[in-house]
Amino acid sequence: MDIAVLIKSVIATDEPIRVVQGAIDQNAKRTINPYDEYALEEALRIKETLGGTVTVISIGGDVTVEALRTALAMGAEEAVWIHAETDRLDEYAVSKMLAGAVGVKTYDLVFAGHLSVDNGAGQVAIRVAELLGWPHAGAITACRIEGRVAHVTRDAEGDSESWEVPLPAVLTAQQGLNEPRYPALAGIMKAKRKPLAELGLDALGGAIAPRAERLACEAQPARPAGRKLSGTPKEQAAELLALLRDEAKVLERR
């Protein structure tokens, strides 16, 4: 069972997001997208049960290297690095590149995170499945492989659905699918020495122009200080009502 896992390097969720000159400052602590960690863990568990290999694939600049090496330390055999700056790439361009990278080798299964915690669009894996012509099941919370069929349970907005998906297929991982492992020290040391397979844009047919353009990026305005109301409960309620009506403009005057 040869499995590809699509991963993304994102700013760690405990890091503040800073906007500098109309762009997000990328010089912050980074990590593998948390949903991609669930995808990688599931791929590793399937490999440990059925045999085969796990290859991680990612697009990005130099900041992507750490995520790829972390994936190798967790147990992936190979890492493919598509060296391209992603600041101006949209989901269309990213999915075209990833589908091209998957097509370089024959895989039985592709895993990815249900969405990324930075953009949150949840488009890339679905687009990759469409470009490959493979079936897709999203937001899975359980997976079992039997022969050439993946038996999955997927989150359906508070309910669940059971699907049988013929392989090859693309599956995206939802929170609750598993508990990702921590890389062992031996794996970390080994991953540092292991070369990354760099895949240039020429091998994927050249640079792909995005179809969406980001016009602006602005920092969230500072949150104003809170206001303490005084007086009796009745007076506080009246003042709060006036503030909601006259300043916040969330209530209509009657």
Side-chain angles (χ1 to χ4, degrees), residues 169-191:
V170 176
L171 307 177
T172 63
Q174 174 64 294
Q175 184 177 7
L177 175 61
N178 52 52
E179 186 64 33
R181 68 193 68 186
Y182 289 100
L185 179 60
I188 294 172
M189 299 306 294
K190 185 178 179 181

Side-chain angles (χ1 to χ4, degrees), residues 54 72 74 77 84 105 108 111 115 122 125 128 132 141 168 197 199 206 216 249:
V54 172
L72 290 172
M74 289 175 66
E77 280 75 24
K105 181 179 175 181
D108 300 292
F111 269 107
L115 51 80
V128 168
L132 294 173
T141 56
L199 196 59
K249 306 293 186 184

Side-chain angles (χ1 to χ4, degrees), residues 53-214:
T53 62
V54 172
T55 301
V56 289
I57 305 173
S58 188
I59 299 176
D62 293 341
V63 296
T64 307
V65 172
E66 183 177 355
L68 289 170
R69 294 210 179 279
T70 299
L72 290 172
M74 289 175 66
E77 280 75 24
E78 298 180 15
V80 176
W81 177 22
I82 304 172
H83 198 176
E85 297 299 332
T86 58
D87 292 348
R88 299 298 179 184
L89 296 180
D90 62 357
E91 286 77 10
Y92 164 79
V94 169
S95 59
K96 291 275 285 186
M97 293 179 189
L98 289 173
V102 171
V104 170
K105 181 179 175 181
T106 301
Y107 293 102
D108 300 292
L109 188 57
V110 171
F111 269 107
H114 174 50
L115 51 80
S116 62
V117 295
D118 51 5
N119 290 343
Q123 292 187 29
V124 170
I126 300 173
R127 288 174 175 269
V128 168
E130 178 67 20
L131 291 166
L132 294 173
W134 292 4
H136 162 267
I140 68 168
T141 56
C143 179
R144 185 181 80 257
I145 305 296
E146 289 185 354
R148 299 296 297 173
V149 176
H151 300 264
V152 303
T153 301
R154 64 178 303 272
D155 178 32
E157 297 184 356
D159 204 344
S160 62
E161 299 175 345
S162 296
W163 288 14
E164 294 182 359
V165 185
L167 303 184
V170 176
L171 307 177
T172 63
Q174 174 64 294
Q175 184 177 7
L177 175 61
N178 52 52
E179 186 64 33
R181 68 193 68 186
Y182 289 100
L185 179 60
I188 294 172
M189 299 306 294
K190 185 178 179 181
K192 288 182 178 179
R193 299 189 300 270
K194 195 162 188 178
L196 304 178
E198 292 192 41
L199 196 59
L201 296 181
D202 291 342
L204 301 175
I208 299 172
R211 293 186 174 180
E213 180 184 0
R214 180 182 297 166

